[in-house]
Amino acid sequence: MSSEIAPESAPEHPNAGDTAAVQPLAAGASAEHPLSAGASTEHPLDGAYVALARPRAGWAFLGSEIAVLFRRRRTWVMLIALAAIPVLIAVAVRISSAGSTPGRGPAFLGQITNNGLFVGLVALIICIPLFLPLTIGVVAGDTIAGEASSSTLRYLLVAPVGRARLLLVKFVAAAAFCVAATLVIIVAGALIGAALFPIGSVTLLSGDTVSLGEAGVRALLIAAYVTLSLLGLTAIGMFISTLTDIPVGAMAATVVVSIISQVLDSLPQLDWLHPWLFTHYWLDFADLLRQPIDWSSFGSNALLQLAYVAVFGALAFGRFSTKDILS
Amino acid sequence: MTNNKWKRWIPAAVIPVVIAGVAIAVPLSANATDSLPTKSPQDVLAMIGDSTVTAFSGTVEQTANLGLPELPAGISASSLGASGTGSGTGSDSNASPSPSSTGSSGTSGSSGSSGSAAGPSAADVSSALQLLTGTHTARVYVDGATQQRVQVIDQLAETDLVRNGSDVWQYDSSKQTAVHTTLPAKSGSAGDNSGDATVQTPEQLAQKFLDDVDPTTNVSVGGDVTVAGRSAYDLILTPQATDTLVGSVSIAVDSATGLPLQVSVTARGAADAAFSTGFTALDLSTPSADLFSFTPPAGTVVTEKTMTEKPAPTGSAAAGSGAASGAPDGSAAAKPVVTGSGWDAIVELPAGTDASALTSSPLLGELTTAVDGGHVLSTTLVTVLVTDDGRVYAGSVSADQLQAAAAAK
């Protein structure tokens, strides 16, 4: 991420000697880069694209940012933790001798023994209220504050990277994590379900049965829906991240915001507010499991999340572009 | 640079304004209708009668604000639309104070039994009450008189009522149960016959009110309204009787097809509708035939039922249909008696029905208040009196009138 800094500029900056990032390195090499959180993470340095034209450099910047995110040990731990949830569910259902009573526990739990593909859905229902917002909060809250706290932000901006472009790249990388997190749950659920239970044609909420192939398409649609649902929170997290230099604070605040929104959504006295809460449509992904598909919640959710991204993206730009970068 | 800093906040200021503007302007523009040609109430009534719409699909939203307390959320998913025939699973596995279903006997008991119903079990009462509180959404598909499908939509759950010819399937996704009913050859719509608690379409409800249009009702046409993006006439029925709880009934009639699009019932003296059901989306094309062929999915507990010919309906109270929907009318002993006519009619279910289940239900115990000679369930539109000796009186009248009717017997 700090790779666009011209190597010549490094000696002029105090503290520059602390980081390996400013050392001129061969393309593709990576260097250990200390973070304030204490975690040692790998930052790839791709010095080759410094010389590239700006449009291509933008894509390379994005690619580099995503690579940094997914090479972090923290990212892997979070994805593995998410993948462990469907595994836990499947194993628990498999080893419990008593058949589960339909109507108890999370929706679809009773269908797992008939069809292992439902493991991923049950895991999604369990993850959406807390675990997914938690991981999104960590990633989104870290976007700007993490750079600031590890003193890499100013080097990023010394290089000819506009602040708007930096925000955009950070947001797209965080959105890529949303895609990965959702897919990890669904794919891990499908794999462990296929390993422990019979799989076959899938019963929809309407009582109709669809083939395995169509069920796969609908699972991908659900992944798209859940990813979309998380973008509003990602934008909120990025805005909070521009307000502080302490990444942990931004992460915690993002998670708290998602919990507050869900609490407000559960109060019937505030039903006028509910359609405006970014968590309101989170569990309505099941509308994709009706026959025919009910697209209305998909559309409402997409519009709502886009509005949140626009509002909090603009707020983040306003804050970040006027901020004095001190670290 | 410093002077221009405030410009960086322009997007943050403009975008919320734009979003708020769009959120306000879009519903307004949808409501802007060209004024329809003026029609007399008789013309609008004739339009409903001449309506030739037999196939449509749409989304119906029903909102009830009858002054009943909201039931615990746990009930909603599992017992919504539960079978009204005492053949449910009988195990309402909720943490809520769920009544034990004395009238139901598991899934095997009513298999093959003739006669339409065993009695209003307490579980059925709670499911009927559930539909009478809060907001419910259903998708409705209709192709002619014999092919219908109603999907009552809940978050992560759904209850389906599918009729294809003489086969009626009821499927509950959360319980994974299905009830298969075979109707006799001659019968009306599925919703009327099965007596099941489900969301009623606006046209079904409108028909109930229009059946009762008689000299005791003033009929007028209000201003043009827009329902589900369609311009409609607003037919307003006002009871002349002053002792009924119903203030007015407003029926939105589609200006193009004469199909009732929305029905809302307002209690006397109230400003907002106590009960309304209307389309939020409507498509007049014929739905796909696949929707009406239902095969119970694997792993579903299926209950078979055969419904024999029922005696002709003995009439229904104007607005009491919801409260009486779970009432049995198959056996002569339970035949309801209607006192009076029009809006202030009182329906009486004589003793001998399974009223002990009603009175002993802890749920009803919370909802009702003890009065002289029984318990009264009061809502803004309907009052129900359960006397101590088991008789049930219901009507859109005050509790005093029900008590007087009970005392007169």
Side-chain angles (χ1 to χ4, degrees):
Chain A
M1 76 181 49
S2 36
S3 48
E4 283 191 337
I5 297 164
E8 297 78 28
S9 70
E12 274 112 58
H13 289 277
N15 304 330
D18 295 347
T19 65
V22 288
Q23 293 171 4
L25 287 174
S30 64
E32 286 294 304
H33 179 73
L35 278 182
S36 67
S40 165
T41 49
E42 293 174 337
H43 276 228
L45 278 178
D46 196 355
Y49 69 67
V50 173
L52 294 179
R54 280 188 70 133
R56 288 186 62 193
W59 287 109
F61 185 26
L62 176 61
S64 153
E65 183 62 38
I66 291 176
V68 166
L69 179 65
F70 283 97
R71 280 180 204 180
R72 282 195 175 162
R73 215 166 291 160
R74 183 168 66 196
T75 309
W76 280 100
V77 168
M78 288 194 297
L79 290 178
I80 290 169
L82 287 175
I85 287 166
V87 174
L88 278 177
I89 293 169
V91 171
V93 172
R94 189 81 179 93
I95 61 177
S96 67
S97 53
S100 59
T101 316
R104 299 194 72 165
F108 306 120
L109 188 66
Q111 305 209 34
I112 287 179
T113 47
N114 295 331
N115 195 331
L117 292 179
F118 282 101
V119 174
L121 283 181
V122 176
L124 264 188
I125 293 169
I126 290 174
C127 288
I128 280 177
L130 185 60
F131 293 119
L132 274 175
L134 205 64
T135 56
I136 302 304
V138 169
V139 170
D142 190 55
T143 46
I144 303 299
E147 297 281 355
S149 79
S150 62
S151 307
T152 44
L153 191 52
R154 68 162 78 173
Y155 302 121
L156 272 175
L157 297 172
V158 164
V161 178
R163 296 190 181 192
R165 194 147 64 102
L166 177 66
L167 269 182
L168 188 65
V169 163
K170 287 285 185 186
F171 179 77
V172 173
F177 177 81
C178 296
V179 177
T182 313
L183 279 179
V184 157
I185 295 174
I186 289 181
V187 171
L191 290 180
I192 190 75
L196 294 182
F197 301 101
I199 58 167
S201 48
V202 171
T203 303
L204 301 175
L205 283 176
S206 309
D208 301 78
T209 306
V210 295
S211 68
L212 210 52
E214 196 187 333
V217 173
R218 295 207 184 203
L220 287 180
L221 281 174
I222 288 174
Y225 185 102
V226 175
T227 303
L228 207 57
S229 303
L230 295 170
L231 291 185
L233 180 63
T234 308
I236 293 172
M238 196 172 72
F239 169 59
I240 296 174
S241 188
T242 61
L243 300 177
T244 176
D245 287 350
I246 303 160
V248 176
M251 295 172 191
T254 308
V255 178
V256 167
V257 164
S258 86
I259 290 171
I260 288 175
S261 176
Q262 291 179 74
V263 169
L264 293 179
D265 202 21
S266 66
L267 297 177
Q269 286 80 4
L270 297 174
D271 54 356
W272 55 271
L273 182 68
H274 290 173
W276 296 93
L277 294 171
F278 65 94
T279 56
H280 182 63
Y281 298 102
W282 273 10
L283 283 176
D284 285 349
F285 68 83
D287 285 355
L288 297 169
L289 292 174
R290 306 187 196 278
Q291 184 74 349
I293 291 179
D294 186 357
W295 288 104
S296 58
S297 60
F298 197 103
S300 312
N301 183 42
L303 275 179
L304 182 73
Q305 301 297 336
L306 278 180
Y308 267 90
V309 169
V311 169
F312 284 92
L315 282 172
F317 174 73
R319 165 69 184 163
F320 187 54
S321 58
T322 56
K323 188 183 182 184
D324 289 328
I325 305 297
L326 298 174
S327 57
Chain B
M1 183 69 184
T2 320
N3 295 335
N4 289 334
K5 270 193 173 183
W6 63 272
K7 284 184 183 169
R8 312 267 184 181
W9 287 97
I10 289 177
V14 169
I15 287 176
V17 173
V18 170
I19 289 174
V22 170
I24 293 167
V26 167
L28 279 184
S29 67
N31 281 337
T33 54
D34 302 329
S35 60
L36 298 167
T38 311
K39 288 206 174 186
S40 72
Q42 283 69 31
D43 290 341
V44 178
L45 283 173
M47 271 177 64
I48 301 175
D50 296 343
S51 174
T52 55
V53 176
T54 55
F56 61 87
S57 54
T59 308
V60 175
E61 195 167 280
Q62 171 189 303
T63 304
N65 185 14
L66 296 173
L68 290 171
E70 291 265 348
L71 294 181
I75 287 185
S76 71
S78 60
S79 62
L80 175 63
S83 163
T85 57
S87 61
T89 58
S91 63
D92 228 354
S93 53
N94 290 306
S96 54
S98 181
S100 64
S101 321
T102 52
S104 64
S105 53
T107 50
S108 60
S110 60
S111 161
S113 68
S114 60
S116 63
S121 78
D124 305 330
V125 173
S126 75
S127 79
L129 285 175
Q130 174 60 41
L131 274 173
L132 291 177
T133 56
T135 299
H136 299 281
T137 306
R139 294 196 294 174
V140 180
Y141 303 90
V142 174
D143 185 4
T146 58
Q147 289 193 310
Q148 288 133 7
R149 180 165 192 162
V150 179
Q151 301 179 323
V152 181
I153 305 248
D154 283 302
Q155 195 173 60
L156 299 172
E158 185 173 313
T159 311
D160 274 47
L161 188 67
V162 188
R163 179 177 183 195
N164 192 3
S166 60
D167 289 326
V168 177
W169 284 95
Q170 187 172 12
Y171 176 74
D172 186 333
S173 78
S174 58
K175 288 185 193 158
Q176 286 182 265
T177 54
V179 179
H180 181 211
T181 310
T182 310
L183 296 176
K186 278 193 251 171
S187 50
S189 73
D192 293 345
N193 267 286
S194 56
D196 292 324
T198 188
V199 171
Q200 286 189 312
T201 63
E203 59 159 347
Q204 287 170 331
L205 192 60
Q207 205 55 52
K208 285 209 169 94
F209 285 114
L210 293 174
D211 287 346
D212 287 317
V213 169
D214 56 18
T216 68
T217 307
N218 291 331
V219 183
S220 60
V221 175
D224 301 340
V225 292
T226 301
V227 177
R230 304 175 69 91
S231 57
Y233 292 101
D234 192 14
L235 194 66
I236 299 172
L237 314 179
T238 316
Q240 285 175 343
T242 53
D243 53 356
T244 173
L245 296 173
V246 177
S248 67
V249 176
S250 156
I251 302 175
V253 182
D254 186 23
S255 59
T257 62
L259 185 73
L261 297 178
Q262 188 174 48
V263 178
S264 48
V265 187
T266 310
R268 182 172 296 276
D272 296 323
F275 184 91
S276 84
T277 177
F279 287 105
T280 54
L282 180 65
D283 179 4
L284 289 176
S285 58
T286 305
S288 156
D290 300 343
L291 283 170
F292 304 114
S293 63
F294 184 85
T295 314
T300 306
V301 179
V302 178
T303 308
E304 289 285 342
K305 270 201 319 168
T306 311
M307 192 176 284
T308 52
E309 199 76 50
K310 290 199 299 187
T314 46
S316 61
S321 57
S325 68
D329 50 2
S331 60
K335 192 180 288 183
V337 178
V338 182
T339 314
S341 65
W343 297 91
D344 50 359
I346 295 173
V347 183
E348 178 196 349
L349 300 177
T353 58
D354 195 7
S356 58
L358 292 174
T359 47
S360 63
S361 152
L363 185 64
L364 271 189
E366 284 182 23
L367 292 174
T368 57
T369 49
V371 295
D372 206 18
H375 288 78
V376 164
L377 170 69
S378 293
T379 72
T380 49
L381 288 179
V382 182
T383 309
V384 180
L385 168 69
V386 183
T387 61
D388 291 333
D389 55 356
R391 290 173 295 163
V392 179
Y393 292 84
S396 297
V397 293
S398 68
D400 294 343
Q401 285 168 276
L402 289 181
Q403 281 178 277
K409 293 294 163 88

